[in-house]
Amino acid sequence: MDIKITPKKLSGKIEAISSKSDAHRVMIAAALSATATDIKLNILSRDMKATADCLENMGAKIDMSGDTMHIEPIKTPKDNALINCAESGSTLRFLLPVVSALCKNATIVGSGKLPERPLSPLIEELEKNGGGFLTKKLPITTKSKLSSGKFTLPGNISSQYITGLLFALPLLKGDSDIILTTPLQSKGYVDMTLDTLEKFGIKILVTDNGYHIKGEQVYTSPGNIQIEGDWSNSAFWFTADFLGGNVEVSGLDNNSKQSDKAIISILKELSDGTVIDAGNIPDLVPIICVAACGICGKVSITNISRLKLKESDRILSVKRLISDLGGQITATDDIITVYGKGFLTGGVIESFNDHRIAMSAAIASLICKNDVIIKGAEAVNKSYPGFFDDFNLLGGNSYVI
């Protein structure tokens, strides 16, 4: 699907969609609980559905009625389960340790770029502790179950590895330790996981260099739970406001553990010479680059190496996005620099099948002199299926061509 946008400022009030990051975590905890959970959420994105489908294939029962997802937990894990993570990296990395702990001879598959995304050193640590796998990349079939023990990982590879272990290890006989050999990046996402686990009665001890996890804990459902509003996707609307619009976003928790709430302070401080460390906010990089085009000055974003491993190589795709719209940008393996001039020209851009690139392009249109055409705009379905509906609701002029 290709979308054409004629530049217009956006104005109005929009409700934040339910957080994909929070929903993944709550759904997994609910499926591991002793009793059922009702989850309130206002969207079911493609990635959320991937997690729900995987949990059902593991033995949970999930029904969606209106804005409520009802999850009956996994009573007896299915043998020979087929776990299809679709294109969701969070689903894969969160569930790999859980599947290894619970399921016999399960096969984990994925589509799109997901089979190319790394699982090392997580899978090696699972193997050191009893987890057996016929292969180390998708498709993966388990051949023995995970045991408790010590799991040693660098903290700068993927916080998703830590989250997956934190979900799985409380289920095992015996205590476990996660030992981090380097400082933890994207710490806010692990804090979200710890918050979810606490809501479901799981106790995790934070140590000087990682986490200590008591074994044989029981997930206890709170019965009803509301998914937080999504700061990551709300960042697009805050940037639309920054670029000359008048947009308000409701339904967000200022006390959220979501790291991407940093977008508020970033936009307030954005000026010539600003340097932004993306270590804890990698998903904000595309839209920050768009915002930087709206000022007159140089903005640098550092600590970006992990962007290569997202839905697209976001170092490449962000550079293409800005340059194809007439902006000036340079990029190396660990720094992006945008030379803003207050406007962009417009043009045709590729989404690279990356939801954040497609949505960033739409917001970039607000400062373009000419129309913007986004090729492969259906990529937004991964996290925000109604994005272009909301864009038009705020006064935007986007339509399928």
Side-chain angles (χ1 to χ4, degrees), residues 35-293:
T35 56
T37 306
D38 285 325
I39 303 170
K40 292 284 188 181
L41 68 171
N42 62 15
I43 191 174
L44 188 63
S45 68
R46 194 166 59 197
D47 277 10
M48 292 179 190
K49 189 174 186 306
T51 293
D53 289 346
C54 288
L55 294 171
E56 282 198 295
N57 287 342
M58 291 171 67
K61 294 180 180 179
I62 301 179
D63 294 305
M64 192 78 190
S65 177
D67 64 354
T68 301
M69 176 182 284
H70 180 78
I71 298 186
E72 292 285 344
I74 300 166
K75 297 297 186 185
T76 303
K78 291 181 181 178
D79 290 340
N80 303 306
L82 178 63
I83 313 298
N84 187 350
C85 301
E87 298 184 38
S88 175
S90 296
T91 305
L92 171 60
R93 289 164 171 171
F94 292 178
L95 287 182
L96 178 59
V98 177
V99 172
S100 181
L102 295 181
C103 298
K104 182 179 179 181
N105 300 325
T107 298
I108 306 171
V109 299
S111 55
K113 196 180 176 185
L114 190 62
E116 302 171 26
R117 296 177 74 171
L119 290 171
S120 180
L122 173 61
I123 201 162
E124 287 83 3
E125 288 302 303
L126 296 175
E127 287 181 320
K128 288 177 186 176
N129 290 278
F133 308 94
L134 296 181
T135 62
K136 292 187 179 182
K137 61 181 182 178
L138 297 184
I140 293 171
T141 299
T142 62
K143 62 179 182 179
S144 59
K145 288 187 179 180
L146 186 64
S147 300
S148 58
K150 291 186 177 181
F151 299 79
T152 304
L153 292 163
N156 63 343
I157 299 295
S158 176
S159 66
Q160 294 173 346
Y161 295 169
I162 311 303
T163 286
L165 289 170
L166 288 171
F167 277 122
L169 299 181
L171 301 169
L172 304 176
K173 291 183 179 179
D175 297 353
S176 297
D177 289 285
I178 300 171
I179 300 167
L180 302 178
T181 58
T182 63
L184 179 62
Q185 291 193 358
S186 295
K187 180 178 180 295
Y189 287 106
V190 176
D191 288 342
M192 285 184 70
T193 304
L194 295 175
D195 188 56
T196 300
L197 290 169
E198 184 178 1
K199 289 173 182 175
F200 281 81
I202 299 297
K203 299 186 183 303
I204 306 292
L205 177 64
V206 180
T207 64
D208 289 341
N209 63 344
Y211 307 91
H212 178 74
I213 303 99
K214 288 281 187 183
E216 295 185 281
Q217 296 191 55
V218 177
Y219 281 78
T220 304
S221 171
N224 296 277
I225 193 165
Q226 174 84 44
I227 300 300
E228 290 185 5
D230 193 323
W231 281 94
S232 299
N233 281 311
S234 296
F236 298 105
W237 308 129
F238 287 121
T239 303
D241 182 76
F242 174 80
L243 294 175
N246 184 20
V247 180
E248 295 180 44
V249 184
S250 64
L252 292 168
D253 181 0
N254 289 321
N255 295 317
S256 171
K257 297 290 197 299
Q258 296 177 53
S259 298
D260 288 348
K261 69 181 181 181
I263 188 64
I264 300 298
S265 59
I266 289 170
L267 292 175
K268 283 181 179 177
E269 298 166 7
L270 201 61
S271 60
D272 184 23
T274 299
V275 178
I276 299 163
D277 185 338
N280 287 319
I281 50 165
D283 287 342
L284 290 182
V285 171
I287 196 60
I288 291 173
C289 289
V290 169
C293 291

